[in-house]
Amino acid sequence: MKDSSVKPNLRPRTRAVHAGTRRSQYGEVSEAMFLTQGFVYDTAEAAEARFIEAGPDEYIYGRYGNPTVAMFEERIADLEGAEDAFATASGMAAVNGALTSMLRAGDHVVAARALFGSCLYILEEVLTRYGVEVSFVDGTDLDQWRDAIQPDTKAVFFESISNPTLEVIDLPAVAALAHAVGARVIVDNVFATPVFSQAITQGADMVVYSATKHIDGQGRCLGGVILGTREVIRGTVEPYMKHTGGAMSPFNAWVMLKSLETLDLRVRAQAEGALAIAHALEGQPGLARVIHPGLRSHPQHALAARQMERAGTVIALEIEGGQEAAFRFLNALRVVTISNNLGDAKSIITHPATTTHQRLSDEQRARLGITRGLLRLSVGLEDPQDLIHDLTTALAAARVG
Ligand SMILES: *Cc1c(COP(=O)(O)O)cnc(C)c1O
C-alpha cells in the first residue's frame, strides 16, 4: 500500500478528489474496495506484534479498521479540517458514539431542544438511563445556554442548523460559553455540510455527520462519521466504537469515499437551487411561511451568513390549512418525491408531524414549531425551474381542494 497524501497547499476541491488515497501494488486509479473482514499475518509472531500495536496502515479486523474505510476517514477529516475521523455504520452510530464514548454517570450535558428525533432519543432516553443529567435549552437563546452550562458541565450538543425548522445556532458563542467551563462542544453538522461550514475552526471539539445525507447524496448507503483531534478520536472514540460494533462497512465506505469527490459540486448546485426556490415561493398565496436561512426574513439570517458560506439545501414550508392542505400539496407533486431522506440528488419532501417527528407529543411539537402544515423540502439536483413549477402547481391544487 502506498499512501499518496495530498500536499497541504492544495485547495479543498482538489483535496476532496485526492486526500487519503492509498494504492495497492496494482496501481489502480479508482480507490480499491477491500471487501474483507480480516487480514492475514505471515507468521504467528507478526500476528502477536500487530495485536500489541498496529502500525500505520496495518489492520486487524473490520470492526477496528479497514483500508477503504481509512481512505474515507482521511478524506473527510481533510475536508473538515479535523486531525482525525472515525467512520460509523450510520449517523446515529456517530451521534451515540461521540456522546457515549466520553460520558459517564454523574456527568452533565446541555443540549438544544430542536433536534432530529433519534438524537433526542439518545439524549432524553439513553444517556439519562445511565445516570447522565441532560438539560435542554432553546438553542437560539444564548442566555439559556449561559444559565444551563454549569462549572461541572461535561459537554454541549446541538445541530448547527436544526431539523426540520432550520434554526441556526451561534456556534462560536456557544463554544465560548462551553469552553469557559472546560466542556466539550459536539456539533451535529448535517444540514450545514462539510463544504459550507468550518465547525472545527469556529469552536467545535467534535463534529458528527450522517453520511447517509449529502455525503452519499444519491440515496444508496447508510453511514456516519465522528471528527475531532487525534487524541479524542483514537483515545476516546475508537476504543468505544471498535468494541461496541458501530463500524462502517467497506462497501459503504467506498461509496462515501467516491462521493466526496463530487460533494462540493453537488451541494453548491443544491444550495443555489434551494435559495432560488425559497425566493420564488416566499409570499405565494397558500404559504404562511417559507423558512430558509438564506432569506432575509429568517430570524438568524445574519448569523447564518457569518457562520456558513451558503445557507444549505433544505427549506421548510408552512402551508395554510393544516395537515389536509399539506397532504393535498404533497399528493399533487409530480417531480418532488415524498420520502424522508435529505441531501439527495432527488428532491424529497417530508411531513415531519406525521413521520420523522410523529413520536413527539403535541406539546413538544408545538414548542419546536412543528405544526400540521409544516413540510421539509430537501432540494436535489433537478433544474430549479422545473422544481419551482412543480411546487407552485401543487400549491394551487392544495388551495383549490
Ligand atoms: C439523518 C440525521 C441523523 C441520523 O443519521 P442516520 O444516517 O439516518 O443514522 C442525525 N442527525 C441529523 C441532523 C440527521 O438529519
Side-chain angles (χ1 to χ4, degrees):
M1 294 288 283
K2 188 169 156 283
D3 182 348
S4 64
S5 293
V6 290
K7 295 187 178 64
N9 60 350
L10 295 170
R11 291 165 210 278
R13 257 174 64 180
T14 310
R15 304 163 68 83
V17 175
H18 293 284
T21 299
R22 290 154 165 76
R23 291 207 166 91
S24 76
Q25 70 272 32
Y26 300 113
E28 63 280 357
V29 174
S30 173
E31 294 78 352
M33 180 178 9
F34 292 94
L35 208 51
T36 177
Q37 41 71 13
F39 302 85
V40 296
Y41 314 97
D42 289 340
T43 61
E45 289 78 6
E48 181 187 28
R50 197 166 302 179
F51 271 79
I52 293 170
E53 192 178 355
D57 255 315
E58 288 185 351
Y59 301 91
I60 293 172
Y61 189 56
R63 181 148 45 72
Y64 298 10
N66 167 287
T68 309
V69 177
M71 286 193 264
F72 168 68
E73 289 173 342
E74 231 172 86
R75 192 168 290 176
I76 181 77
D78 186 273
L79 193 57
E80 187 68 30
E83 280 178 19
D84 214 335
F86 193 94
T88 59
S90 68
M92 287 323 303
V95 172
N96 185 55
L99 288 164
T100 317
S101 66
M102 61 163 289
L103 294 171
R104 59 184 65 242
D107 283 347
H108 178 235
V109 176
V110 182
R113 194 175 287 122
L115 293 176
F116 180 64
S118 301
C119 295
L120 197 60
Y121 179 84
I122 290 178
L123 286 151
E124 244 182 352
E125 312 279 339
V126 180
L127 293 180
T128 51
R129 199 187 295 166
Y130 297 98
V132 174
E133 195 199 328
V134 184
S135 310
F136 289 99
V137 297
D138 171 348
T140 61
D141 183 347
L142 282 177
D143 289 334
Q144 289 196 20
W145 285 105
R146 199 173 287 116
D147 289 345
I149 294 171
Q150 298 297 315
D152 67 340
T153 300
K154 200 69 183 289
V156 304
F157 178 83
F158 57 90
E159 293 171 9
S160 48
I161 307 181
S162 74
N163 180 3
T165 48
L166 310 180
E167 291 177 0
V168 182
I169 309 249
D170 190 335
L171 204 168
V174 175
L177 292 171
H179 289 155
V181 299
R184 278 198 187 138
V185 177
I186 306 173
V187 178
D188 180 334
N189 213 26
V190 167
F191 281 55
T193 81
V195 172
F196 299 144
S197 149
Q198 296 284 323
I200 300 240
T201 315
Q202 291 169 353
D205 298 298
M206 288 163 103
V207 178
V208 294
Y209 286 103
S210 163
T212 318
K213 311 293 170 54
H214 302 84
I215 293 175
D216 176 324
Q218 288 153 87
R220 299 162 295 194
C221 292
L222 282 177
V225 65
I226 308 171
L227 299 120
T229 61
R230 183 142 305 130
E231 189 191 340
V232 167
I233 296 300
R234 296 301 149 197
T236 305
V237 172
E238 184 192 289
Y240 178 85
M241 292 306 300
K242 79 181 190 186
H243 295 301
T244 55
M248 179 182 273
S249 87
F251 178 82
N252 289 9
W254 181 81
V255 170
M256 302 300 184
L257 172 69
K258 299 304 287 175
S259 298
L260 286 180
E261 295 177 353
T262 56
L263 179 69
D264 186 290
L265 296 176
R266 287 184 286 109
V267 297
R268 280 182 201 283
Q270 287 170 262
E272 197 181 305
L275 189 60
I277 292 165
H279 278 302
L281 293 183
E282 192 169 43
Q284 291 256 354
L287 282 176
R289 267 195 317 165
V290 176
I291 308 171
H292 182 67
L295 292 175
R296 288 191 185 283
S297 56
H298 189 283
Q300 291 107 32
H301 173 68
L303 170 65
R306 246 192 349 262
Q307 189 159 300
M308 297 173 344
E309 197 189 321
R310 296 274 191 287
T313 67
V314 179
I315 304 171
L317 306 171
E318 169 103 47
I319 306 267
E320 281 167 7
Q323 185 171 323
E324 273 184 36
F327 277 24
R328 277 201 301 275
F329 173 75
L330 289 175
N331 294 335
L333 290 164
R334 293 294 168 261
V335 179
V336 179
T337 48
I338 305 171
S339 186
N340 38 260
N341 191 19
L342 63 92
D344 199 279
K346 294 183 170 60
S347 289
I348 285 174
I349 196 158
T350 310
H351 185 249
T354 53
T355 61
T356 53
H357 292 71
Q358 190 188 81
R359 196 182 66 81
L360 302 189
S361 66
D362 287 345
E363 189 200 325
Q364 277 176 312
R365 274 196 297 269
R367 199 151 45 162
L368 297 177
I370 303 171
T371 63
R372 296 267 150 194
L374 188 83
L375 295 166
R376 185 191 74 196
L377 170 66
S378 165
V379 177
L381 284 171
E382 303 94 337
D383 189 312
Q385 293 310 316
D386 286 336
L387 296 173
I388 290 168
H389 182 258
D390 194 38
L391 292 159
T392 49
T393 309
L395 257 185
R399 280 203 309 276
V400 171

